[in-house]
Amino acid sequence: MNIAATLKSDITPEGSDYETVRKVIEMITEDYRHQPSLDDVAMRLGQSPTQLQKTFTRWAGLSPKAFLQAVTLDHAKRLLRQESMPLLETSFEVGLSGPGRLHDLFVTHEAMSPGEWKARGAGLTIRYGYHVSPFGLALVMATDRGLAGLAFADDSDEEACLADMTCRWPNAVYVHDQEATAAYALRIFDSARWNPQQPLRIVLIGSDFQIRVWEALLRIPMGRAVTYSDIAGQVGQPTASRAVGAAVGRNPLSFVVPCHRALGKGGALTGYHWGLTRKRAMLGWEAGRA
DNA sequence: AGCCGTCTCTTCT
DNA sequence: AGAAGAGACGGCT
């Protein structure tokens, strides 16, 4: 089955552009010594340069050239340097729903530890659906208390993507329900619908440590970034950056909990559960909107 | 080389 | 079963 094809671009106009954009990003970053020109890329994709330029700019909000600039080491370092201290000190109440656009997708969350999850969550129903997003096909999962999972699938590995998510909460009952998740998708990926008055409700399910790390991520505003060790310090375990990395990598709410804004100390992108290209894409996409 | 949370496997109650 | 401990293993520094 090809879900992506049946969905068309039901979310945002940029949604259907991602496949193209992804290839472009891959080509121009994979070997930056031999960075291909836009013409080369266009030719390899079988498109005209002007058409490609247009597609890319519509998606990114930046020209390919500007985009490339926005995902270089240099720029990453700048994101890190913007005085990050104040934002990390902000308390939750203020941080998440207060003034001052912290996370631009305003979010309220409740946390569920594995214990609680076991007690209350066994048999809890999770509805899921696939939706076109600016970052490829998105798998959206929700309980009746809010958004619980967000993952991405590249061409037709929806199965693997679903498995990746369901094995995290093996006790839940899963129901494929496109209609239940459509509204979430619509709202998450369309920045015009981000609204502090009606924050998005999310449910965080994980260990204490993981929750603390994810909460820290939620406080990084759009267009900024922090290092793993920053987060370690913030959760009160300054030497635990390695462990932080692991916890960040287990984030079940990709994009919504902005784990793509966590970088290595030198500004390198290190890893990303859903592919480094996607991390790059998110950072660049945000740069075009910040 | 160290740091530290998770996961897995083992052992002990 | 369930608790407790040993070892291995990372989106690090």
Side-chain angles (χ1 to χ4, degrees):
Chain A
M1 66 175 162
N2 190 341
I3 293 173
T6 65
L7 287 173
K8 298 191 222 117
S9 54
D10 61 0
I11 301 298
T12 63
E14 305 101 331
S16 50
D17 295 337
Y18 182 69
E19 262 316 291
T20 304
V21 168
R22 200 195 90 220
K23 288 179 191 141
V24 175
I25 298 174
E26 255 159 26
M27 283 187 215
I28 57 188
T29 53
E30 71 185 356
D31 180 9
Y32 61 106
R33 277 170 199 291
H34 309 97
Q35 247 176 62
S37 69
L38 189 62
D39 286 2
D40 291 339
V41 175
M43 200 171 65
R44 276 203 259 167
L45 259 52
Q47 295 189 20
S48 78
T50 37
Q51 185 189 58
L52 183 61
Q53 162 91 257
K54 206 172 149 223
T55 304
F56 195 96
T57 309
R58 177 177 52 207
W59 179 88
L62 299 166
S63 71
K65 187 176 168 147
F67 176 91
L68 194 53
Q69 243 164 12
V71 294
T72 55
L73 252 192
D74 241 26
H75 184 263
K77 286 182 189 154
R78 219 170 316 134
L79 292 184
L80 291 173
R81 256 183 281 121
Q82 299 181 323
E83 88 283 4
S84 59
M85 247 23 248
L87 73 102
L88 289 178
E89 284 163 10
T90 322
S91 80
F92 273 8
E93 291 70 28
V94 181
L96 297 181
S97 49
R101 20 175 298 158
L102 282 141
H103 191 302
D104 281 39
L105 201 196
F106 299 86
V107 159
T108 58
H109 74 284
E110 56 184 290
M112 233 188 253
S113 69
E116 282 177 279
W117 166 249
K118 204 172 163 196
R120 317 187 349 221
L124 184 63
T125 301
I126 295 184
R127 296 173 195 287
Y128 68 92
Y130 299 93
H131 304 276
V132 172
S133 87
F135 308 106
L137 191 64
L139 169 59
V140 180
M141 304 184 123
T143 71
D144 53 358
R145 311 176 50 185
L147 185 73
L150 180 56
F152 293 98
D154 283 320
D155 22 55
S156 47
D157 64 346
E158 295 102 21
E159 306 288 328
C161 178
L162 180 61
D164 184 313
M165 296 305 286
T166 53
C167 71
R168 302 180 188 216
W169 312 303
N171 292 330
V173 176
Y174 294 91
V175 181
H176 190 358
D177 184 347
Q178 289 287 135
E179 289 186 22
T181 50
Y184 279 111
L186 203 59
R187 161 148 197 210
I188 292 165
F189 296 113
D190 181 1
S191 53
R193 294 169 192 261
W194 295 351
N195 178 1
Q197 304 314 323
Q198 299 167 269
L200 178 73
R201 294 177 54 83
I202 66 173
V203 184
L204 261 22
I205 306 168
S207 71
D208 280 356
F209 183 77
Q210 289 175 327
I211 303 263
R212 274 187 290 147
V213 168
W214 299 338
E215 285 170 340
L217 290 174
L218 280 172
R219 274 174 270 171
I220 312 169
M222 172 130 155
R224 296 271 288 275
V226 300
T227 66
Y228 295 98
S229 43
D230 286 340
I231 299 173
Q234 216 236 330
V235 299
Q237 242 125 162
T239 56
S241 47
R242 190 79 196 251
V244 165
V248 170
R250 299 284 301 161
N251 165 32
L253 283 169
S254 177
F255 186 71
V256 171
V257 173
C259 58
H260 54 282
R261 296 179 195 149
L263 308 177
K265 193 150 206 170
L269 263 59
T270 62
Y272 194 69
H273 189 82
W274 305 107
L276 222 48
T277 298
R278 195 169 263 112
K279 185 170 186 174
R280 223 169 247 129
M282 286 180 184
L283 256 13
W285 186 84
E286 291 189 343
R289 268 146 258 262

